[in-house]
Amino acid sequence: LVAAAPDKPLVLGEYGRSSWQLLRPGSLGETGQADYLADLLLTQRLMSSQAGWPLRGELAWTLYDFPSG
């Protein structure tokens, strides 16, 4: 994509994993979800650095916010 449009920014749309174990057995849970997102952010920083495109920002968003207690 960068080669096809070198003057345009690369935008990542959406990613994520469920942490809601009550209705989705086998989901990551809150700690697993936090680890998953941290790994994704690190990967994005490394890839953007290698490609010469600065990572300008991130947005963490949740559809549902259920307390674990």
Side-chain angles (χ1 to χ4, degrees):
L1 291 174
V2 173
D7 59 334
K8 301 290 182 185
L10 183 63
V11 177
L12 177 66
E14 181 179 357
Y15 55 86
R17 293 281 307 262
S18 175
S19 66
W20 196 15
Q21 294 178 324
L22 179 64
L23 292 179
R24 292 194 171 91
S27 67
L28 297 176
E30 290 180 10
T31 302
Q33 186 183 52
D35 292 342
Y36 172 79
L37 293 173
D39 288 344
L40 279 173
L41 288 171
L42 177 61
T43 301
Q44 289 174 11
R45 287 184 185 117
L46 290 172
M47 291 176 66
S48 67
S49 174
Q50 290 173 357
W53 287 86
L55 182 61
R56 302 252 186 229
E58 275 298 316
L59 171 68
W61 175 82
T62 182
L63 179 58
Y64 302 107
D65 189 6
F66 298 103
S68 58

